Every structure is written in structure tokens, then in C-alpha cells.
């Protein structure tokens, strides 16, 4: 063969090979696209063959557990198909800015309760309409023990966390950093007994450990699909919280603009009414088209769709506060309570009312999120001119809270106010607790209605605080409650020095002040 004649033939052969590789095998016209997909998309596998036959586009899904939390590799994938891209748009916005996206189906994050628990909780709520606050309250009391995917890895877990935190903030708007500066989720978190890195893995874990949990928090579609199987001892009662839900819209994202035509073919096909009907049948997710007749199980309105945060600091704080769901954490609050003579009468009645509210008597949504919770360690120190009494309990049930209330209810007032001696005592108590359990979270709440008139001076307290081990100073913060005639300036400086903050009860009530301060340890 002459060299000049062979070169064109070789080039044509190479072009044909490349075109075959891009379009399909055996010279067909199929376009094959590489898709990074969340594990929740695996349920669509039966429809992908139909999609290929009718559009000529073959989607090759690579299901990865980190698909919703890591920037998609555009060199490796042509499309991304996720349950939600909210976290990526918030934390990796430059990497996915301007990407074409199309919603393909929807499903809210809801709660599945075993029937006996659902009946008990609904009976306690007017209209039987349960809220995230009711679930948090029941978790704190030990009534609800739930499974939820790890919010650091799974879209359903993070959506649930955002939903609970939004309800706890009580603003009805997207969470702002100041809404989560005080963590109000520890009572809720105390009820978590099962977790997993993905939604499907969580469902499997719940099925295998139904004796360890009586609730499952995940997508509505997961609960309905699970109820349709024979894998459960008891079908779950699906609760759509009255105070709102975060909605997943399962977007398909175009990563490689060269495949815009194929992407458009796929999205048009997915959004056909007939295909939306099939998606609903296969996945029990809600159609994005309002013209599609809903399955009877999907006719319950979604209601208040909660906004996803629009600031990275919000999710960073939420995830840091919630921590590792697999790791059981212990928290302790040391309440230093002024029992000087000026607290007699109405002021003491207000203090006792505040503690009753924290013990579960406050029926408001904020009261349910801030109540004492099962497993929490609580210390009450009554002081006047000296320490009058000290009581510590670990909450296992109502009897422990009754014992604590008894300490607050007793008299024995002092004839002076040793604010800084009491705070120094609190730090010595905290130091001992941290020696016994270095992983424990300890905070101090100082409530006084008067100025220091005996014992240590503020200057001497500061000197002693500086002498504490660095680990104690870094870990233990003071949250003063300013009440009555107390010196607000000194309390504010003490809070700033120890990394806490002061709450002013002068213009509100002690109950509101204690609820606000509860979230700050």
C-alpha cells in the first residue's frame, strides 16, 4: 500500500471508531451518558430501558453515597441526578453555578411512627396534627426512638435536620446564622437510636432493628414503599409535620454542555404525564406535573414547604452542633441559682415556673424544643452568701425531674449574695466532671437578681478563672441570666470572658430567658 493512500483510510477508520464509542456499540445511534447519582435514584432502574428505547439516550448511573455532598466530577460524568442539590448549591455554588437543572419528582421528608406511638402522641395534640416540636418533645421524654440518615452524608438526613431546626427557630423563614447560634436540637437528638450514610441503608437498618426504634425519619416515598412490603412487624403511620417539611425535587443536572440535546430529550421524556405516572408507581414519589392523577397515598397535601438555608454558615453550624449520630454524647448544665432574700415571693415563683416549664410543663413549641431531655445531667446549686444546697441528677424519667424541682422548691434563703463565689464553685464542679468524662459538654447558667455583696470579688473570680486548666476554660462557658437589680455590665463581661453570653430577663420573663439560654450549651 502506498503511504499517501493509506493515511486517509486510517483517519477514516479512527473517526469511525471514535463515533462508535460515543454513540453506541455496533454502530447504533444510542447516546450513552455517564451519570453520578444518589442512592435514592436506584429505584428508577426499571424505567431506564424504556428511556433508552424511546429517546436513544442510555443513562449509565453510578450510585455514590457522597453524590449530594461533593462537587461532581465533570471530567468523569455528563449528568448528575440527585435527590436534592440544595447542599451543593449552598456549599459548592461556584462549581455548579449556571448548570441547567430539571426537577423530575418530589418527596417531602416526613416521620413514620409505629401505630401505638402515633396513637399516643396524636391523642395529646388538638386536632391530632403532630409537629416537629411534638416529635422533639417525645424524643426528649424517651417516648420516640427514631432512625434518621446521617445529615453529614445523606440528603434526607440533612433535610430532616433543617426541618427540625426551622421549626425550632419559629420564624417560618429560611434559617439565619442567629437562628442556630443556640442549639435547640439536643432533646430531639437524644431520641436517635439508628443511623446510616444513605437513605436506602437506613431503611434496611430499621427493618433489621425494629426493636431498637419506633420511628423512622426519611422521605415520604421510602415510608410508603416500606409499608407496601412484608418487611415490617407494624406498618408505619406516616406523619407529615404541621409545622412544615423540606421537599426534595430530585433534579437532573447537565454537567457536560456538549450533551445538551440528549439532556433535553431525557428531561422531556421524564416529564411526560405517562412517564410521571410510571415514576409515581415505581417510586411512590409525587409527580412534578399537576395534571397527573395522584396515587391515593399521595393525596395528603404537603402543606408548608420549608425553605432551605441560603447561607453556608447555617448548615455548618447545624452539622457541627448535631455531630456524629453514631456517637452518643453527654451534656451537663450546672444551674447556679440565687436564693438570697430578695428572691422571696413573686421572683421565686417565677423561677419555679421556669423550671417546671423546662421539665415538660410548657406546652408551647419553644417549650418542647428546650425541655430537659432523657440522658441529660443536671446540677442545681442554690446559693446566697454561700452554697446552700447542691443536687445532681441524670434524667431517666419523671422522678429525676421531680427531685430537681424539689430542690428548687425548697426555701432556705441566704442573707447575702455571693455571685462570684457561686460561679467559682460552678467552675470547680465543671472541672471535676470533665476529669471524670472529658467528652462531656458542660455549661454553667448563672441566675441572680442582685449585685455581689460578699465572698469573692469579680477581680478575684477572674484571677481564679485564669488559673483553671486551659481545657476547662475552653470548654466550659457561662450563660448569665440578668434579673432584678443584678449588675448587667459585670454579668456581660463574665459571659464574654468565658465564651458564653448574657440573656436579659428584665424585659421579659424568667421562663423565656431560661428557654433562650437552654440552647446555648
Amino acid at each position: 500500500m502506498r503511504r499517501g493512500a493509506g493515511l486517509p483510510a486510517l483517519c477514516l477508520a479512527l473517526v469511525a471508531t471514535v463515533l462508535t464509542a460515543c454513540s453506541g456499540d455496533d454502530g447504533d445511534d444510542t447516546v450513552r451518558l455517564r451519570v453520578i447519582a444518589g442512592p435514592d435514584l436506584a429505584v428508577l432502574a426499571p424505567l431506564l430501558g424504556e428511556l433508552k428505547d424511546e429517546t436513544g439516550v442510555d443513562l449509565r448511573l453510578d450510585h455514590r453515597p457522597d453524590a449530594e455532598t461533593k462537587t461532581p466530577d465533570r471530567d468523569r460524568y455528563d449528568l448528575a441526578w440527585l435527590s436534592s442539590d440544595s447542599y451543593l448549591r449552598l456549599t459548592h455554588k461556584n462549581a455548579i453555578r449556571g448548570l441547567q437543572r430539571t426537577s423530575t419528582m418530589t418527596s417531602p421528608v416526613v416521620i413514620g411512627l409505629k401505630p401505638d406511638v402515633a396513637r399516643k402522641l396524636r391523642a395529646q395534640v388538638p386536632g391530632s396534627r403532630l409537629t416537629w416540636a411534638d416529635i422533639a418533645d417525645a424524643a426528649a421524654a424517651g417516648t420516640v426512638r427514631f432512625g434518621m440518615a446521617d445529615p453529614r452524608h445523606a440528603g434526607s438526613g440533612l433535610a430532616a435536620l433543617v426541618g427540625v431546626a426551622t421549626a425550632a427557630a419559629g420564624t417560618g423563614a429560611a434559617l439565619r446564622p442567629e437562628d442556630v447560634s443556640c442549639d435547640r436540637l439536643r432533646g430531639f437528638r437524644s431520641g436517635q437510636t439508628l443511623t446510616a450514610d444513605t437513605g436506602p441503608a437506613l431503611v434496611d437498618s430499621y427493618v433489621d432493628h425494629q426493636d431498637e426504634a419506633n420511628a423512622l425519619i426519611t422521605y415520604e416515598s421510602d415510608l410508603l414503599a416500606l409499608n407496601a412490603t412484608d418487611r415490617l412487624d407494624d406498618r408505619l403511620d406516616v406523619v407529615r409535620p404541621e409545622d412544615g417539611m423540606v421537599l426534595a425535587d430530585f433534579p437532573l443536572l447537565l454537567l457536560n454542555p456538549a450533551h445538551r440535546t440528549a439532556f433535553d430529550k431525557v428531561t422531556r421524556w421524564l416529564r411526560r404525564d405517562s412517564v410521571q405516572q410510571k415514576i409515581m408507581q415505581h417510586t411512590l414519589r409525587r409527580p412534578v406535573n399537576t395534571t397527573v392523577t395522584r396515587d391515593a397515598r399521595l393525596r395528603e397535601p404537603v402543606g408548608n414547604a420549608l425553605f432551605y438555608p441560603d447561607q453556608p454558615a447555617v448548615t455548618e453550624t447545624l452539622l457541627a452542633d448535631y455531630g456524629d449520630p453514631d456517637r452518643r454524647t453527654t451534656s451537663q448544665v450546672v444551674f447556679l441559682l440565687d436564693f438570697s432574700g430578695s428572691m422571696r415571693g413573686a421572683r421565686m415563683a417565677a423561677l419555679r415556673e421556669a423550671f417546671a416549664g423546662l421539665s415538660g410543663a410548657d406546652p408551647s413549641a419553644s417549650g418542647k424544643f428546650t425541655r430537659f431531655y432523657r440522658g441529660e445531667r443536671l446540677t442545681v446549686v442554690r446559693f446566697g452568701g454561700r452554697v446552700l444546697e447542691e443536687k445532681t441528677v441524670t434524667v431517666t424519667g419523671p422522678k429525676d425531674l421531680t427531685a430537681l424541682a424539689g430542690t428548687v422548691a425548697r426555701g432556705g434563703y441566704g442573707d447575702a449574695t455571693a455571685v462570684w463565689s457561686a460561679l467559682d464553685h460552678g467552675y470547680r464542679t465543671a472541672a471535676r466532671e470533665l476529669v471524670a468524662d472529658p467528652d462531656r459538654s458542660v455549661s454553667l447558667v448563672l441566675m441572680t437578681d442582685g449585685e455581689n455583696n460578699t465572698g469573692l470579688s469579680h477581680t478575684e473570680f477572674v484571677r481564679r478563672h485564669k488559673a483553671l486548666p486551659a481545657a476547662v476554660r475552653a470548654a466550659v462557658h457561662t450563660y448569665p441570666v440578668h434579673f432584678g437589680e443584678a449588675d448587667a455590665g459585670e454579668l456581660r463581661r463574665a459571659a464574654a470572658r468565658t465564651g458564653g453570653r448574657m440573656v436579659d430577663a428584665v424585659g421579659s420573663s424568667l421562663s423565656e430567658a431560661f428557654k433562650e439560654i437552654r440552647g446555648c450549651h
Side-chain angles (χ1 to χ4, degrees):
M1 179 185 295
R2 287 184 300 113
R3 185 174 180 181
L7 185 57
L10 178 60
C11 289
L12 287 172
L14 288 173
V15 168
T17 301
V18 171
L19 289 174
T20 300
C22 294
S23 300
D25 299 326
D26 303 322
D28 63 25
D29 294 326
T30 300
V31 177
R32 291 184 175 82
L33 302 183
R34 302 158 300 170
V35 185
I36 181 171
D40 299 291
L41 275 300
V43 69
L44 285 176
L47 296 179
L48 297 184
E50 291 183 39
L51 178 119
K52 176 183 173 182
D53 291 341
E54 296 185 27
T55 67
V57 181
D58 182 12
L59 298 186
R60 300 292 179 91
L61 271 58
D62 181 9
H63 298 284
R64 299 187 59 85
D66 59 357
E68 294 172 11
T69 57
K70 290 189 176 180
T71 303
D73 185 348
R74 295 199 193 188
D75 293 330
R76 185 176 178 185
Y77 300 105
D78 304 305
L79 308 177
W81 204 350
L82 314 171
S83 62
S84 171
D85 61 345
S86 295
Y87 183 75
L88 289 179
R89 284 191 282 116
L90 189 62
T91 59
H92 300 75
K93 56 185 177 183
N94 291 332
I96 66 170
R97 178 182 283 125
L99 293 185
Q100 187 173 350
R101 73 185 300 278
T102 299
S103 301
T104 60
M105 48 195 153
T106 65
S107 194
V109 170
V110 298
I111 307 146
L113 294 174
K114 287 188 176 180
D116 57 335
V117 178
R119 282 193 297 271
K120 179 178 180 179
L121 296 186
R122 289 187 189 278
Q124 300 170 357
V125 177
S128 300
R129 302 291 296 181
L130 294 173
T131 65
W132 285 115
D134 296 320
I135 300 303
D137 184 56
T143 304
V144 164
R145 295 169 288 108
F146 64 87
M148 185 179 85
D150 190 332
R152 299 170 303 170
H153 306 299
S156 62
L158 183 55
L161 186 57
V162 167
V164 178
T166 304
T171 64
L175 287 167
R176 304 160 300 176
E178 58 265 33
D179 295 326
V180 293
S181 60
C182 298
D183 169 29
R184 292 191 167 197
L185 300 182
R186 296 200 176 189
F188 171 78
R189 189 191 190 284
S190 69
Q192 183 165 6
T193 56
L194 292 175
T195 193
D197 284 344
T198 69
L202 173 70
V203 170
D204 291 339
S205 178
Y206 177 82
V207 169
D208 293 338
H209 303 91
Q210 293 180 58
D211 57 333
E212 296 179 24
N214 54 25
L216 187 59
I217 300 176
T218 186
Y219 293 123
E220 173 191 66
S221 54
D222 293 339
L223 296 178
L224 295 177
L226 186 58
N227 275 343
T229 70
D230 59 0
R231 303 175 70 192
L232 295 176
D233 298 331
D234 296 294
R235 284 166 51 94
L236 296 170
D237 188 328
V238 179
V239 173
R240 299 167 181 88
E242 186 76 359
D243 41 2
M245 294 161 276
V246 174
L247 198 67
D249 67 346
F250 297 87
L252 188 66
L253 307 176
L254 177 61
L255 302 179
N256 184 350
H259 291 296
R260 169 69 182 271
T261 299
F263 174 84
D264 288 343
K265 284 183 180 180
V266 170
T267 55
R268 281 196 300 270
W269 187 84
L270 289 171
R271 291 177 68 100
R272 286 182 194 165
D273 281 3
S274 59
V275 177
Q276 287 278 295
Q277 186 81 29
K278 290 179 180 178
I279 289 175
M280 180 175 62
Q281 292 169 351
H282 277 86
T283 69
L284 287 173
R285 291 168 190 157
R286 295 170 181 250
V288 292
N289 296 353
T290 57
T291 52
V292 176
T293 302
R294 300 291 194 270
D295 182 290
R297 291 165 289 183
L298 297 173
R299 290 175 189 166
E300 182 82 17
V302 171
N304 181 26
L306 298 176
F307 296 100
Y308 202 86
D310 56 8
Q311 300 181 58
V314 172
T315 53
E316 290 169 6
T317 302
L318 279 176
L319 293 173
D321 284 347
Y322 203 78
D324 182 353
D326 260 332
R327 186 167 173 266
R328 306 313 299 168
T329 60
T330 54
S331 298
Q332 179 169 357
V333 187
V334 180
F335 291 93
L336 305 165
L337 305 178
D338 184 349
F339 267 66
S340 60
S342 60
M343 282 293 295
R344 285 188 173 93
R347 290 181 178 180
M348 185 52 60
L351 176 60
R352 289 166 181 162
E353 181 183 0
F355 260 78
L358 294 177
S359 297
D362 185 346
S364 67
S366 60
K368 291 176 179 179
F369 278 113
T370 53
R371 62 165 294 165
F372 297 136
Y373 57 86
R374 192 177 184 89
E376 187 175 19
R377 189 169 170 84
L378 303 167
T379 298
V380 167
V381 177
R382 299 193 303 112
F383 73 91
R386 58 181 176 80
V387 171
L388 302 173
E389 183 180 4
E390 182 171 334
K391 176 73 173 179
T392 297
V393 301
T394 298
V395 180
T396 60
K399 69 180 187 305
D400 301 306
L401 297 177
T402 299
L404 208 64
T407 302
V408 178
R410 277 190 283 277
Y413 296 95
D415 56 2
T417 307
V419 174
W420 307 117
S421 293
L423 189 54
D424 178 65
H425 176 86
Y427 269 98
R428 285 186 278 116
T429 299
R432 288 196 303 272
E433 295 290 349
L434 289 175
V435 168
D437 182 1
D439 292 331
R440 178 173 296 162
S441 168
V442 184
S443 63
L444 307 180
V445 173
L446 170 66
M447 190 288 300
T448 180
D449 74 334
E451 296 186 12
N452 185 72
N453 56 23
T454 191
L456 299 181
S457 66
H458 180 262
T459 302
E460 177 61 15
F461 165 73
V462 170
R463 187 190 67 77
R464 293 191 179 198
H465 183 264
K466 287 180 178 178
L468 290 169
V472 175
R473 284 186 280 114
V476 182
H477 310 311
T478 298
Y479 301 95
V481 177
H482 176 231
F483 190 48
E485 295 75 43
D487 188 327
E490 282 199 336
L491 293 178
R492 193 174 285 110
R493 286 193 293 274
R497 166 166 291 280
T498 64
R501 69 182 182 91
M502 189 189 81
V503 171
D504 200 330
V506 173
S508 61
S509 69
L510 268 185
S511 290
E512 290 304 312
F514 271 100
K515 283 196 293 186
E516 183 176 347
I517 216 72
R518 275 288 290 152
C520 295
H521 66 278

